[in-house]
Amino acid sequence: AQTVTQSQPEMSVQEAETVTLSCTYDTSESDYYLFWYKQPPSRQMILVIRQEAYKQQNATENRFSVNFQKAAKSFSLKISDSQLGDAAMYFCAYRSALNDMRFGAGTRLTVKP
Amino acid sequence: DTEVTQTPKHLVMGMTNKKSLKCEQHMGHRAMYWYKQKAKKPPELMFVYSYEKLSINESVPSRFSPECPNSSLLNLHLHALQPEDSALYLCASSQLLGLVRETQYFGPGTRLLVL
């Protein structure tokens, strides 16, 4: 079974600084997708970024980028120029081509002004 | 534009009540999902509805009953719930490409409290 591990229950970053959230996963499949979702106190799960496993290029979305290391089964999220609105719970998720999503336990990010 | 709506936002019910949660999407997605999320935990998949077929997480008790009236609506009927069923219930939808269910987009959730 696929598992997703987020080893950092909590992280803190100073406003305008950069922070990296870690995620590792375990799978024997070759075709899969990885996601980072953000869940602020408003509770809505918001898609931050996605990565297809067959793409070697790391995905980027404005201030958010990933470091995808397929051989190491690692998928970290880097947030640059952190803003107060980035404070949230961040979930890493894995989905294979035919199976449904599995989430990591989450990392709570605090942004200090 | 990605939008999944859920009603109600909050629900308080007794253990003998019958209530329903509603989810609607207007993105033309052909797969919809119900998740249960306890505090400080990740979402847990309860049901998937795609290609007019329902897939069930077998650990979900029968007091939860999904219904899909059409491809844009997904209801969750609740009956004889227990206090431990109190949680945030999230609905999501995704496009289908053949057998592949694409990126999921979530609604704002319904916060359920069972007394």
Side-chain angles (χ1 to χ4, degrees):
Chain A
Q2 301 82 16
T3 58
V4 179
T5 302
Q6 292 180 251
S7 58
Q8 306 154 315
E10 296 184 359
M11 290 285 285
S12 179
V13 63
Q14 204 71 33
E15 194 176 5
E17 296 295 310
T18 296
V19 64
T20 299
L21 308 184
S22 301
C23 174
T24 58
Y25 57 95
D26 185 26
T27 184
S28 57
E29 296 173 305
S30 58
D31 187 14
Y32 54 88
Y33 305 82
L34 297 163
F35 306 86
W36 279 99
Y37 281 91
K38 166 186 176 182
Q39 189 174 38
S42 66
R43 310 170 315 189
Q44 178 138 18
M45 293 280 281
I46 302 166
L47 178 67
V48 175
I49 200 165
R50 62 172 272 171
Q51 174 84 43
E52 290 91 344
Y54 62 86
K55 289 186 177 179
Q56 292 188 350
Q57 187 173 7
N58 289 326
T60 62
E61 286 288 342
N62 301 315
R63 298 183 293 107
F64 299 88
S65 62
V66 298
N67 183 3
F68 174 46
Q69 301 290 328
K70 191 172 183 179
K73 297 180 182 175
S74 170
F75 182 61
S76 60
L77 173 69
K78 186 172 82 171
I79 306 174
S80 303
D81 185 25
S82 297
Q83 300 175 0
L84 295 177
D86 295 332
M89 182 73 96
Y90 286 80
F91 290 100
C92 177
Y94 166 102
R95 179 179 65 79
S96 66
L98 296 178
N99 291 314
D100 290 299
M101 207 136 62
R102 294 182 183 271
F103 289 90
T107 296
R108 181 167 299 282
L109 178 67
T110 302
V111 181
K112 297 179 180 178
Chain B
D1 189 20
T2 57
E3 185 177 83
V4 179
T5 60
Q6 289 186 243
T7 55
K9 289 186 178 180
H10 303 274
L11 179 62
V12 180
M13 61 186 291
M15 289 188 283
T16 59
N17 292 158
K18 287 185 181 180
K19 296 285 184 183
S20 296
L21 309 184
K22 298 184 184 300
C23 175
E24 188 169 12
Q25 55 89 11
H26 295 286
M27 296 175 281
H29 289 173
R30 299 299 302 274
M32 296 184 74
Y33 313 76
W34 278 113
Y35 287 86
K36 174 184 178 180
Q37 186 180 22
K38 301 286 277 185
K40 300 183 180 180
K41 296 290 186 181
E44 299 175 14
L45 184 64
M46 301 175 73
F47 304 102
V48 180
Y49 201 89
S50 64
Y51 286 125
E52 289 79 45
K53 290 185 179 179
L54 180 66
S55 300
I56 300 173
N57 179 341
E58 293 184 358
S59 67
V60 177
S62 59
R63 55 187 182 264
F64 294 91
S65 174
E67 177 201 11
C68 195
N70 59 57
S71 59
S72 64
L73 287 171
L74 185 66
N75 299 323
L76 185 63
H77 301 301
L78 315 173
H79 174 55
L81 294 193
Q82 302 297 309
E84 60 263 30
D85 297 322
S86 299
L88 179 67
Y89 288 83
L90 291 165
C91 176
S93 71
S94 70
Q95 190 53 279
L96 284 173
L97 293 178
L99 294 177
V100 177
R101 296 193 277 260
E102 285 288 296
T103 300
Q104 293 182 24
Y105 296 94
F106 286 81
T110 294
R111 176 78 64 190
L112 174 66
L113 177 61
V114 182
L115 299 177

